Amino acid sequence: VALKTIAYNSVLHGFAKQGSVEEAQGLFEEMKRRHQQGYAAEKPDVITFSTMIEVFINSNRTDAGSNAVHLLDELEHEYTKGGRQDKSLKPDTHFYNSVLRAWASSDDDEDAAEKAHKVLQRMELSMAGDEKVKPDIISYTAVCQAYANSNMTDAGERAEEILHQVETGADSGILPYPDSYLYSAVMLAHVRSKSVGSREKAEQLFHRMQQLYKSGREEAKPNTRILNLLISGWATSRNRNKIAKASEALEQMKVIYKAGNEDARPDTYSYNWVILAAARSTARKVQEKRRHFNIALQHFRAFHISKSTVDNGAIDHIDSSINLVPNSFTYIYFIQACKYLLPSGEDRDKLIGKAFELARRNGMVNKKVFMEVHQAVPSITEAGLLEEGIGLDEISFSEGKNPDIPANWTSQVHR
């Protein structure tokens, strides 16, 4: 590879990290122009084209997939130009994976997942005569991720079919076994799917991973992301038993972690999802609402543990051992649980006030936390501002902007 091509590619790599499309396109066009003028050492190669795709992926543009296909077509044209095959321009697995990842990040094309799948099938057809374009786990994961990002009703089923294909290939020695990233992509596809029973299928996938791991398949080891996807799937579902199912999934997570699987350590999101599930309860009876609120309260308390609460059994010892750190969503979801599940009155207002006090103390009051409290009990936010020497009339509530609340209240919001 010519030294100048390497230099150009290094600069393009920097633009790719920043997602700087205009700068990268300008440099790419300059390379092509210089090469056409006879400067052989400045010829774009397959790495150049692959890096250009990374530019589009990291730019967060919604047309990354279509731009990747244009680059693929151009590369293949240059590769066979003049009836000769230029090895420096030969598309390989890494390049095709960039194309697949671009489709996975494309939101403007409702057929992005299907187009990604077609690229994968093209790789599979080509690999019979060329091992350098053989799909790898990254290839299959990218297509499953594309299905997860689609709005297809059967996205979970389509991703599961790909997973089954990989597992079958692995059993035959053709492919490596699926890793946690592939399982995560399939789990996400199920969780986001609108098809009936999608959450149950996500749960079945988790149980299958457990069985595979126990049988010696290290690649199927359940981890925090897998279990958080399962918990979030139940929490955001319309299933009548979603609170119990989300809580049950978190309890399974704790058991797995306690048994020695450090990769399945519960985190802030694990607990937040259970609090959210409770806050979105559809219960109508007062007794059932109270039961659901107690679930939210139990998981909210896990973030604010003292030695006495552990010793008297109010908090599970495992909750105290993982050092949970709340974020703004912890307070948003719990305040919503107070608003929706408790009857109006002094007791509810006191709990909201206590949650707001904790959010202030921990520097976690963003606009949403402030507004949740202010809309529920205006006197609480007004009293808090007065303590800081600020009047409510000094606070701006402009659309799209955070209110001008005290800096010490927001100090840890973006931690």
Side-chain angles (χ1 to χ4, degrees), residues 1 32 50 85 89 98 118 144-145 161 168 227 238-239 243 279 294 326 351 356-357 362 411 413:
V1 178
K32 292 191 287 185
S50 180
Q85 293 185 342
L89 290 167
S98 294
K118 286 180 180 178
C144 289
Q145 188 68 49
E161 287 171 6
T168 302
L227 280 147
R238 295 182 179 179
N239 190 295
I243 302 169
N294 286 339
L351 277 168
F356 186 56
E357 179 187 337
N362 289 319
S411 61
V413 166

Side-chain angles (χ1 to χ4, degrees), residues 285-344:
K285 295 181 179 179
V286 173
Q287 189 175 7
E288 189 178 9
K289 283 185 175 182
R290 171 59 73 171
R291 182 166 57 82
H292 291 168
F293 173 75
N294 286 339
I295 292 173
L297 179 61
Q298 173 193 346
H299 291 86
F300 180 72
R301 279 177 171 168
F303 289 97
H304 308 91
I305 292 171
S306 66
K307 187 176 186 302
S308 60
T309 58
V310 178
D311 289 345
N312 67 22
I315 297 291
D316 190 332
H317 277 270
I318 196 167
D319 293 330
S320 66
S321 70
I322 57 179
N323 298 317
L324 290 169
V325 177
N327 60 21
S328 295
F329 288 104
T330 308
Y331 298 101
I332 292 167
Y333 297 156
F334 180 69
I335 292 165
Q336 289 176 346
C338 292
K339 288 166 62 176
Y340 303 145
L341 299 174
L342 296 178
S344 299

Side-chain angles (χ1 to χ4, degrees), residues 156-157 160 186-193 198-199 201-202 205:
E157 287 85 349
E160 185 93 38
V186 178
M187 179 75 76
L188 183 62
H190 279 308
V191 166
R192 289 180 174 175
S193 174
S198 60
R199 270 57 173 188
K201 289 172 183 174
L205 177 59

Side-chain angles (χ1 to χ4, degrees), residues 99-251:
V99 177
L100 293 172
R101 289 176 51 246
W103 277 125
S105 67
S106 295
D107 299 327
D108 68 331
D109 193 326
E110 61 183 17
D111 297 321
E114 292 292 355
K115 290 175 179 177
H117 203 163
K118 286 180 180 178
V119 173
L120 176 64
Q121 291 169 334
R122 182 172 167 181
M123 293 174 72
E124 290 171 333
L125 288 171
S126 301
M127 74 179 187
D130 188 357
E131 281 286 313
K132 290 188 177 179
V133 295
K134 181 180 178 180
D136 57 17
I137 290 299
I138 295 172
S139 314
Y140 292 99
T141 301
V143 178
C144 289
Q145 188 68 49
Y147 279 118
N149 293 342
S150 74
N151 290 317
M152 295 173 61
T153 303
D154 62 344
E157 287 85 349
R158 300 300 298 275
E160 185 93 38
E161 287 171 6
I162 292 174
L163 174 62
H164 179 69
Q165 178 187 344
V166 174
E167 289 179 325
T168 302
D171 288 339
S172 303
I174 301 171
L175 292 168
Y177 281 104
D179 60 11
S180 63
Y181 295 101
L182 178 52
Y183 282 115
S184 292
V186 178
M187 179 75 76
L188 183 62
H190 279 308
V191 166
R192 289 180 174 175
S193 174
K194 297 179 179 64
S195 65
V196 176
S198 60
R199 270 57 173 188
E200 286 81 1
K201 289 172 183 174
E203 187 174 59
Q204 289 167 10
L205 177 59
F206 162 65
H207 289 310
R208 182 150 61 89
M209 287 181 68
Q210 276 191 302
Q211 292 171 354
L212 289 169
Y213 177 60
K214 288 177 181 177
S215 70
R217 278 270 308 281
E218 186 68 26
E219 304 89 350
K221 185 179 184 181
N223 59 28
T224 299
R225 175 166 170 74
I226 290 288
L227 280 147
N228 277 352
L229 284 171
L230 180 60
I231 297 168
S232 68
W234 286 119
T236 56
S237 75
R238 295 182 179 179
N239 190 295
R240 289 180 58 84
N241 297 317
K242 65 183 179 183
I243 302 169
K245 297 297 288 186
S247 301
E248 178 187 311
L250 176 54
E251 289 307 310

